[in-house]
Amino acid sequence: MDKKDAKIKILAQAVYELRLLLSDHLGSTDKNMLCEAISAHLANALHNEALAIIENRPDDFDIDKAIESIKKVDERYGEKFGDRFEKLVNADNT
């Protein structure tokens, strides 16, 4: 495995682990735990794509679906993650 692939796998594993650690905060409406709830939903939005990378199934990583899932978190919490992820992806395509 080259270093770039190793780096990607490490980040994917981190997203997947965060999703597991934060799963109890999914759907939380506790204002004191809002950061944890948003983090849980963001990690949950990306866990299937992270798992595809971990399991060497890069063709199952759907960028458009991932951005759409992130935008659902934005809608729920009034965030702008989707815009930042889209900008990141579009910057790599220019």
Side-chain angles (χ1 to χ4, degrees):
M1 175 182 319
D2 69 18
K3 285 189 177 191
K4 181 179 179 182
D5 287 343
K7 291 173 185 178
I8 292 168
K9 283 192 175 252
I10 288 169
L11 292 174
Q13 186 69 41
V15 168
Y16 195 78
E17 296 295 337
L18 289 168
R19 181 254 181 199
L20 295 175
L21 290 168
L22 292 165
S23 63
D24 288 345
H25 296 284
L26 288 170
S28 175
T29 57
D30 183 348
K31 301 274 189 223
N32 294 322
M33 303 291 273
L34 188 58
C35 183
E36 289 86 346
I38 294 169
S39 299
H41 283 272
L42 184 59
N44 192 62
L46 295 172
H47 82 275
N48 285 332
E49 284 67 27
L51 191 58
I53 296 300
I54 293 165
E55 294 179 346
N56 294 317
R57 298 181 289 109
D59 292 339
D60 291 344
F61 190 124
D62 186 326
I63 293 171
D64 293 331
K65 182 180 172 189
I67 300 289
E68 181 181 315
S69 294
I70 293 166
K71 286 184 174 184
K72 288 180 183 176
V73 176
D74 291 347
E75 290 172 14
R76 182 175 185 144
Y77 293 103
E79 297 291 335
K80 298 287 185 195
F81 297 117
D83 292 343
R84 293 193 296 268
F85 278 83
E86 272 184 328
K87 185 176 179 182
L88 178 70
V89 169
N90 291 333
D92 286 345
N93 290 330
T94 58

